[in-house]
Amino acid sequence: VNGGSGAQSPIVQCLDAALGITHEPEKQAFLDNMREFMMPRHRAFIDALRQAPSIRNYVKARGNNELLAAYNQCVDAFRAFRTVHIQLVARFVVIMADKWTKQDKHKSISECGTGGQS
Protein backbone atom coordinates (compact mmCIF):
# COMPACT_ATOMS: atom_id res chain seq x y z
CA VAL A 1 0.00 0.00 0.00
CA ASN A 2 1.42 3.36 -1.00
CA GLY A 3 0.49 6.75 0.35
CA GLY A 4 1.24 10.11 -1.19
CA SER A 5 4.75 10.46 -2.59
CA GLY A 6 6.86 13.05 -4.37
CA ALA A 7 7.54 10.28 -6.87
CA GLN A 8 3.96 10.81 -8.07
CA SER A 9 4.94 14.27 -9.25
CA PRO A 10 5.44 14.24 -13.02
CA ILE A 11 8.16 16.91 -12.91
CA VAL A 12 10.58 14.69 -11.01
CA GLN A 13 10.15 11.80 -13.42
CA CYS A 14 10.24 14.15 -16.42
CA LEU A 15 13.63 15.46 -15.31
CA ASP A 16 14.88 11.89 -14.81
CA ALA A 17 13.78 10.98 -18.32
CA ALA A 18 15.04 14.16 -19.97
CA LEU A 19 18.44 14.07 -18.28
CA GLY A 20 18.86 10.32 -18.80
CA ILE A 21 19.07 9.61 -15.08
CA THR A 22 18.84 5.92 -14.28
CA HIS A 23 18.13 4.23 -10.96
CA GLU A 24 18.78 0.88 -9.36
CA PRO A 25 16.12 -1.67 -10.41
CA GLU A 26 14.26 -1.60 -7.07
CA LYS A 27 14.04 2.19 -7.02
CA GLN A 28 13.06 2.30 -10.70
CA ALA A 29 10.30 -0.24 -10.05
CA PHE A 30 8.97 2.01 -7.27
CA LEU A 31 9.06 5.06 -9.55
CA ASP A 32 7.32 3.14 -12.33
CA ASN A 33 4.62 2.07 -9.87
CA MET A 34 4.11 5.67 -8.77
CA ARG A 35 3.41 6.63 -12.39
CA GLU A 36 0.17 4.68 -12.11
CA PHE A 37 -1.11 7.47 -9.84
CA MET A 38 -0.43 10.16 -12.45
CA MET A 39 -2.83 11.50 -15.01
CA PRO A 40 -2.63 9.51 -18.29
CA ARG A 41 -1.28 12.46 -20.28
CA HIS A 42 1.50 12.95 -17.75
CA ARG A 43 2.47 9.27 -18.04
CA ALA A 44 2.41 9.57 -21.82
CA PHE A 45 4.66 12.63 -21.71
CA ILE A 46 7.19 10.81 -19.53
CA ASP A 47 7.11 7.86 -21.95
CA ALA A 48 7.73 10.27 -24.84
CA LEU A 49 10.71 11.77 -23.02
CA ARG A 50 12.11 8.30 -22.38
CA GLN A 51 11.83 7.47 -26.08
CA ALA A 52 13.20 10.82 -27.30
CA PRO A 53 16.84 11.33 -28.19
CA SER A 54 18.91 11.37 -25.03
CA ILE A 55 20.29 14.68 -23.76
CA ARG A 56 22.89 12.70 -21.84
CA ASN A 57 24.05 10.82 -24.94
CA TYR A 58 24.10 14.05 -26.95
CA VAL A 59 26.29 15.76 -24.36
CA LYS A 60 28.66 12.79 -24.16
CA ALA A 61 28.94 12.53 -27.95
CA ARG A 62 29.89 16.21 -28.38
CA GLY A 63 33.09 15.96 -26.37
CA ASN A 64 32.60 19.58 -25.31
CA ASN A 65 33.88 20.12 -21.77
CA GLU A 66 31.75 23.24 -21.18
CA LEU A 67 28.60 21.43 -22.30
CA LEU A 68 29.49 18.44 -20.13
CA ALA A 69 30.10 20.71 -17.13
CA ALA A 70 26.71 22.41 -17.65
CA TYR A 71 24.96 19.03 -17.92
CA ASN A 72 26.72 17.78 -14.78
CA GLN A 73 25.66 20.94 -12.92
CA CYS A 74 22.03 20.19 -13.85
CA VAL A 75 22.32 16.61 -12.60
CA ASP A 76 24.07 17.73 -9.40
CA ALA A 77 21.41 20.37 -8.71
CA PHE A 78 18.67 17.80 -9.24
CA ARG A 79 20.45 15.37 -6.91
CA ALA A 80 20.68 18.12 -4.26
CA PHE A 81 16.96 18.86 -4.66
CA ARG A 82 16.15 15.18 -4.13
CA THR A 83 18.35 15.02 -1.05
CA VAL A 84 16.66 18.04 0.53
CA HIS A 85 13.23 16.64 -0.36
CA ILE A 86 14.01 13.32 1.32
CA GLN A 87 15.33 15.12 4.41
CA LEU A 88 12.15 17.20 4.64
CA VAL A 89 9.97 14.12 4.27
CA ALA A 90 11.94 12.39 7.01
CA ARG A 91 11.73 15.38 9.31
CA PHE A 92 8.12 16.41 8.83
CA VAL A 93 6.33 13.22 7.86
CA VAL A 94 8.08 10.08 9.01
CA ILE A 95 9.47 11.35 12.33
CA MET A 96 6.26 13.18 13.26
CA ALA A 97 4.09 10.19 12.31
CA ASP A 98 6.24 7.96 14.49
CA LYS A 99 6.04 10.45 17.37
CA TRP A 100 2.24 10.68 17.11
CA THR A 101 1.91 6.91 16.91
CA LYS A 102 3.98 6.47 20.08
CA GLN A 103 1.73 8.95 21.85
CA ASP A 104 -1.35 6.98 20.69
CA LYS A 105 -2.91 10.21 19.42
CA HIS A 106 -3.25 9.00 15.86
CA LYS A 107 -3.28 5.76 13.98
CA SER A 108 -0.02 4.49 12.59
CA ILE A 109 0.79 5.64 9.06
CA SER A 110 0.68 1.97 8.05
CA GLU A 111 -2.96 1.86 9.22
CA CYS A 112 -4.02 4.90 7.17
CA GLY A 113 -3.74 5.76 3.53
CA THR A 114 -3.55 9.20 2.03
CA GLY A 115 -6.02 11.54 3.68
CA GLY A 116 -6.68 9.01 6.45
CA GLN A 117 -8.40 6.53 4.13
CA SER A 118 -7.82 2.84 4.78
Side-chain angles (χ1 to χ4, degrees), residues 19 59 65-81:
L19 293 172
V59 168
N65 289 336
E66 287 180 41
L67 183 60
L68 180 60
Y71 171 82
N72 286 337
Q73 284 178 333
C74 289
V75 172
D76 289 344
F78 191 38
R79 180 181 299 120
F81 167 80

Side-chain angles (χ1 to χ4, degrees), residues 40-96:
R41 288 185 177 179
H42 292 175
R43 288 194 307 265
F45 184 70
I46 294 166
D47 287 338
L49 285 173
R50 285 181 170 179
Q51 300 302 315
S54 168
I55 294 172
R56 181 175 186 265
N57 290 342
Y58 176 84
V59 168
K60 288 173 66 176
R62 293 296 155 252
N64 180 313
N65 289 336
E66 287 180 41
L67 183 60
L68 180 60
Y71 171 82
N72 286 337
Q73 284 178 333
C74 289
V75 172
D76 289 344
F78 191 38
R79 180 181 299 120
F81 167 80
R82 271 193 159 115
T83 299
V84 169
H85 172 74
I86 290 168
Q87 290 169 346
L88 289 172
V89 168
R91 183 178 302 146
F92 294 109
V93 177
V94 177
I95 291 172
M96 292 305 293

Side-chain angles (χ1 to χ4, degrees), residues 1-57:
V1 176
N2 293 313
S5 170
Q8 293 172 4
S9 169
I11 191 66
V12 172
Q13 294 205 34
C14 283
L15 288 170
D16 275 346
L19 293 172
I21 295 172
T22 57
H23 299 282
E24 297 170 0
E26 185 176 306
K27 184 173 183 179
Q28 188 61 54
F30 171 77
L31 293 170
D32 291 343
N33 183 54
M34 290 294 99
R35 290 179 58 224
E36 296 303 315
F37 297 94
M38 294 179 191
M39 294 177 12
R41 288 185 177 179
H42 292 175
R43 288 194 307 265
F45 184 70
I46 294 166
D47 287 338
L49 285 173
R50 285 181 170 179
Q51 300 302 315
S54 168
I55 294 172
R56 181 175 186 265
N57 290 342

